[in-house]
Amino acid sequence: MRMTGAEALIKSLEKEGVDVIFGYPGGVVLPIYDALYDCKTIRHVLVRHEQCAGHAADAYARATGKVGVCLVTSGPGATNLVTGLANAWMDSVPMVAITGQVATAVLGTDAFQEADITGITLPITKHNYLIKDVNQLPTVIRQAFELARSGRPGPVLIDMPSDMSKAEIDFKYPEDFTIPGYKPVYKGHAKQIKEAAKLLTRAEKPIIYAGGGIIKSEAWKELKDLAEIIEAPVTTTLMGKGAFPDEHPLSLRMLGMHGTRYANYAIMDSDLILAVGVRFDDRVTGKISAFAPHATIIHIDVDPAEISKNVVAHVPIVGDAKTVLKDLTAAVNKIEKPYADKTRWHAMINEWKKKYPLHYHQDGQIRPEYVVETISKLTKDKDTVITTGVGQNQMWAAQFYSCNTPRGFISSGGLGTMGFGLPAAVGAQIGRPDAVVVDIDGDGSIQMVSQELATVAANKLPIIIAILNNGYLGMVRQWQELFYNHRYSQVDLNVGTPDFIKLADAYGLKGVRVTQVEDVEGVLKKAIEAREPVLIDFMVAREENVFPMVAPGTSIDEMLGGIPGAAISQMIDEQEEEEKDETYPVGTRGK
Ligand SMILES: Cc1ncc(C[n+]2csc(CCOP(=O)(O)OP(=O)(O)O)c2C)c(N)n1
């Protein structure tokens, strides 16, 4: 079939089963937008800033398991997308990004709106292409989707010069194609798996450390099966939240800088760590030389570059988490019982759990943890997706929202991108229209992307935007309080922050301010039932801190806070007394 490059692009996306594109038009992509005009199968969601096209496509991918697609123009459109790409890159999210480019004849001449986006994004994409021969386009798109979703997923960028969009080709979508030099390994080495199985059955204090790789490879059932067979406690990373049910008796919830005391104690005391789909990030390991001193480490990852990158693996297994866990379970089942006795290990862990539960101070103020806990309680039996901003709000969401299903918690892990929450909620809601989608956000984070309220309004997306409004860049303030002697430098947001209710109103959205702790549950209940967009501005205790906390550069079992009634909480209580004397009346901030 004879058609233009732009039409071939859209046709190829249809062939890939793409049903939604998040994008923003401009000069060089006019032919592509013109081709989209006639397309009946692909919905285009017009975001209000290209960064958010990236985040929406990213969260759409995480919420659905499909490849997220975004489309932007050249120059500033493409550079605006850079954060979206870096975010997807750091969190290994399958995404195809299409950028317009100036015509091939003027490439490299600083033509109007020219930016060398393939150069700029080389280190933050799994691969990128600059189309110089339009006949290659269908094959490039086929390869791009394959690269994005296979092996360790990631974003792939296709830069499309305007003359390539206008040139004509005989369109045929390739059935067979190869990607020279690319061959991800899915099946783990049999000998290594056998060795790992032996260790797992012999360990007295094993622990499974599960990450985003479990969700990417949809290995949650295999993980649960294995954990139950070997009776190993499971701790998840921020990216792995939902890979194992938070409320499962074997769950230790999140580990690391703001993980639970019991997860951090358990990993430090363990004799065997089964690490799956994780990368031993510094937020998890703390002081790396002190990490898990007694443990033998089995590391399963589809990306060989991750093995022994930060922590040496004694038994490395390169392969897809689902395939390897299945084989590992089979190998474990072949070993004769009884396996090593873990009674003492479980007793110890249960004691830690009892002694150091996640907790917070409850008084007359709205504690942000309480808001998250209430969201968790009210959505417990519903298909729910939580997205988050970055900062304290994100950590409270990770700690106090109990996620029992995969693809239910979407957060910016590796890049820690403030502003991710709202566009991520847009992408998640469009990908999972029947789910309850709640963006748990910070007053600072949301101000980086508040223009996306227009996208929410235009598409009538029934998203609940729950702002934990502390009037601060809270996480930075927390560090300044704890490590910079209370010197609060440039973190007070009180002056200048808009009245979020009026802001919602300006976009035609419903807004509710909550100033009384008694109203939290009722307002949330109504919002969940309403199935319409609503912004809730929770005026939370201003100087609440996230605990436990591993101070930077220390070992993860040297945590601050998180002990009910102990020193650091008392310190905080005193601080709160002072705080109550502050002169701002709750509920008027930002007006
Ligand atoms: C784009 C970006 N800029 C700066 C930071 C550094 N940073 C991390 S947390 C944080 C404060 C976040 O404040 P807010 O969104 O109000 O959330 P809170 O911590 O108060 O819950 C900042 C500035 C970041 N993570 N991302």
Side-chain angles (χ1 to χ4, degrees):
M1 240 198 327
R2 198 81 186 148
M3 61 179 71
T4 65
E7 288 162 349
L9 172 71
I10 300 302
K11 229 7 320 92
S12 302
L13 296 180
E14 282 181 335
K15 293 272 183 201
E16 285 296 333
V18 173
D19 52 9
V20 57
I21 295 177
F22 300 91
Y24 205 92
V28 295
V29 284
L30 275 166
I32 302 175
Y33 273 85
D34 192 60
L36 253 179
Y37 192 75
D38 292 325
C39 177
K40 303 272 181 294
T41 57
I42 301 177
R43 171 181 181 187
H44 180 278
V45 177
L46 179 68
V47 293
R48 297 312 197 256
H49 187 293
E50 291 88 349
Q51 175 187 347
C52 297
H55 293 330
D58 174 327
Y60 172 90
R62 298 197 215 196
T64 61
K66 298 193 241 173
V67 177
V69 181
C70 53
L71 166 64
V72 302
T73 193
S74 65
T79 54
N80 272 351
L81 182 64
V82 168
T83 302
L85 289 166
N87 194 78
W89 167 250
M90 290 290 270
D91 289 347
S92 309
V93 178
M95 196 160 111
V96 170
I98 297 147
T99 48
Q101 183 53 282
V102 299
T104 48
V106 292
L107 269 175
T109 66
D110 295 335
F112 177 63
Q113 293 194 327
E114 179 180 9
D116 174 11
I117 201 65
T118 48
I120 292 168
T121 62
L122 193 66
I124 52 165
T125 50
K126 189 167 169 185
H127 194 57
N128 66 28
Y129 298 89
L130 171 61
I131 305 293
K132 285 185 165 165
D133 172 2
V134 70
N135 293 302
Q136 306 259 301
L137 183 66
T139 304
V140 163
I141 294 176
R142 186 87 167 82
Q143 288 180 345
F145 275 82
E146 180 60 20
L147 281 168
R149 71 180 146 231
S150 63
R152 179 180 187 167
V156 179
L157 181 137
I158 303 169
D159 200 20
M160 182 85 171
S162 56
D163 54 324
M164 295 292 111
S165 284
K166 291 176 198 155
E168 290 207 337
I169 61 165
D170 286 320
F171 178 75
K172 189 173 171 285
Y173 205 58
E175 309 233 308
D176 295 324
F177 69 103
T178 53
I179 305 174
Y182 180 71
K183 206 164 178 251
V185 173
Y186 290 93
K187 201 153 171 66
H189 196 286
K191 218 172 120 194
Q192 298 291 81
I193 289 175
K194 208 167 157 193
E195 174 65 16
K198 198 167 78 187
L199 291 168
L200 285 172
T201 55
R202 288 184 186 171
E204 289 175 358
K205 299 198 255 177
I207 183 168
I208 300 178
Y209 154 35
I214 297 284
I215 297 171
K216 302 283 157 35
S217 87
E218 310 207 320
W220 42 79
K221 184 183 174 301
E222 288 73 12
L223 172 69
K224 190 159 161 278
D225 287 351
L226 181 62
E228 287 173 355
I229 289 168
I230 59 171
E231 299 172 288
V234 180
T235 179
T236 48
T237 63
L238 181 69
M239 296 303 300
K241 199 168 160 69
F244 190 77
D246 274 332
E247 288 173 341
H248 191 288
L250 286 171
S251 172
L252 301 174
R253 304 179 81 104
M254 188 170 76
L255 82 167
M257 182 171 274
H258 291 295
T260 60
R261 273 191 175 257
Y262 43 91
N264 287 349
Y265 286 147
I267 203 137
M268 290 297 283
D269 202 45
S270 64
D271 61 1
L272 182 74
I273 297 174
L274 175 64
V276 197
V278 295
R279 56 191 181 88
F280 293 88
D281 176 73
D282 54 272
R283 284 292 191 265
V284 160
T285 61
K287 185 178 170 188
I288 206 146
S289 56
F291 182 72
H294 320 291
T296 300
I297 295 175
I298 303 166
H299 190 181
I300 302 169
D301 205 285
V302 74
D303 183 357
E306 281 304 337
I307 308 269
S308 296
K309 183 180 86 177
N310 295 333
V311 170
V312 174
H314 304 97
V315 184
I317 305 176
V318 176
D320 166 59
K322 191 180 180 90
T323 314
V324 175
L325 285 178
K326 223 185 253 177
D327 291 348
L328 189 53
T329 305
V332 164
N333 281 332
K334 272 193 199 149
I335 296 174
E336 217 173 293
K337 286 188 178 168
Y339 302 154
D341 181 24
K342 293 167 197 95
T343 321
R344 279 180 57 202
W345 182 225
H346 288 295
M348 192 181 241
I349 285 172
N350 286 336
E351 206 178 305
W352 285 328
K353 280 187 174 178
K354 223 183 275 159
K355 216 161 155 189
Y356 310 114
L358 285 172
H359 65 283
Y360 56 94
H361 191 74
Q362 300 185 53
D363 55 8
Q365 301 186 70
I366 302 176
R367 296 283 158 184
E369 300 93 328
Y370 171 69
V371 176
V372 176
E373 207 174 61
T374 308
I375 293 170
S376 192
K377 186 177 90 177
L378 296 176
T379 57
K380 193 170 162 52
D381 301 317
K382 296 181 163 54
D383 180 25
T384 304
V385 182
I386 300 292
T387 66
T388 77
V390 164
Q392 292 181 313
N393 61 86
Q394 175 187 34
M395 290 300 114
W396 285 317
Q399 290 180 331
F400 289 90
Y401 178 75
S402 289
C403 187
N404 293 305
T405 49
R407 306 198 185 287
F409 187 88
I410 298 176
S411 192
S412 169
L415 198 64
T417 314
M418 282 174 72
F420 180 73
L422 180 58
V426 167
Q429 207 288 326
I430 286 170
R432 297 252 298 275
D434 297 330
V436 175
V437 176
V438 187
D439 167 27
I440 298 176
D441 224 322
D443 46 325
S445 292
I446 200 157
Q447 285 187 69
M448 291 203 168
V449 291
S450 57
Q451 78 284 342
E452 295 309 319
L453 291 172
T455 314
V456 174
N459 294 281
K460 298 192 176 57
L461 305 175
I463 292 166
I464 299 168
I465 302 158
I467 303 176
L468 304 180
N469 188 347
N470 51 17
Y472 276 122
L473 293 172
M475 186 57 95
V476 180
R477 184 209 57 74
Q478 173 169 343
W479 282 55
Q480 290 174 344
E481 176 192 330
L482 297 174
F483 312 120
Y484 290 86
N485 202 21
H486 281 81
R487 288 157 58 86
Y488 292 173
S489 179
Q490 302 298 318
V491 288
D492 197 329
L493 294 182
N494 260 350
V495 181
T497 293
D499 178 331
F500 287 116
I501 307 308
K502 284 188 184 160
L503 188 66
D505 188 48
Y507 285 102
L509 300 176
K510 193 170 167 190
V512 187
R513 175 167 295 116
V514 181
T515 58
Q516 305 298 323
V517 72
E518 312 78 68
D519 296 338
V520 169
E521 183 161 346
V523 168
L524 277 168
K525 214 182 234 169
K526 249 197 205 152
I528 292 165
E529 280 160 12
R531 298 296 294 161
E532 62 176 6
V534 55
L535 180 153
I536 314 174
D537 190 16
F538 291 101
M539 308 307 288
V540 300
R542 288 204 76 195
E543 299 204 7
E544 184 77 333
N545 285 332
V546 184
F547 287 127
M549 177 179 196
V550 176
T554 64
S555 164
I556 61 164
D557 52 0
E558 293 170 37
M559 286 158 278
L560 302 172
I563 304 176
I568 195 130
S569 347
Q570 278 156 18
M571 194 177 93
I572 293 155
D573 290 350
E574 282 161 22
Q575 210 176 285
E576 279 158 3
E577 283 309 312
E578 284 166 29
E579 219 180 281
K580 278 186 204 146
D581 295 330
E582 280 190 22
T583 47
Y584 80 84
V586 175
T588 60
R589 231 177 303 145
K591 281 197 174 169

